[in-house]
Amino acid sequence: MIDNLCFMLVNNDPKEAIAVRFSYEYGVDDEIHQTLVDDNDRRFELWEADLAWAQAMFKDFL
């Protein structure tokens, strides 16, 4: 099943980011159900995680 994580850089000084995660699963009704988790606690760790992800994508691309 798919999932999705979206980082959003919100400040450059101080370096802060937030994130939204979507996950999906089949329910007992055989329908796909979405779970959404907003991480609105602005912090440097999310900034680092976002840049690490982008760096890995560029490495794969290049």
Side-chain angles (χ1 to χ4, degrees):
M1 187 66 61
I2 62 172
D3 70 355
N4 184 11
L5 174 61
C6 178
F7 289 106
M8 291 156 276
L9 303 179
V10 294
N11 285 329
N12 192 36
D13 186 20
K15 293 179 176 160
E16 297 174 324
I18 59 175
V20 179
R21 177 180 293 277
F22 301 90
S23 60
Y24 303 86
E25 64 183 354
Y26 284 105
V28 295
D29 57 1
D30 290 329
E31 297 288 328
I32 297 175
H33 297 268
Q34 179 189 59
T35 301
L36 166 69
V37 177
D38 285 318
D39 187 346
N40 292 318
D41 182 19
R42 296 177 177 212
R43 60 191 185 280
F44 180 68
E45 292 79 14
L46 289 177
W47 175 281
E48 286 182 313
D50 189 15
L51 294 183
W53 174 85
Q55 189 174 38
M57 293 297 106
F58 286 124
K59 184 177 178 183
D60 285 348
F61 178 71
L62 300 174

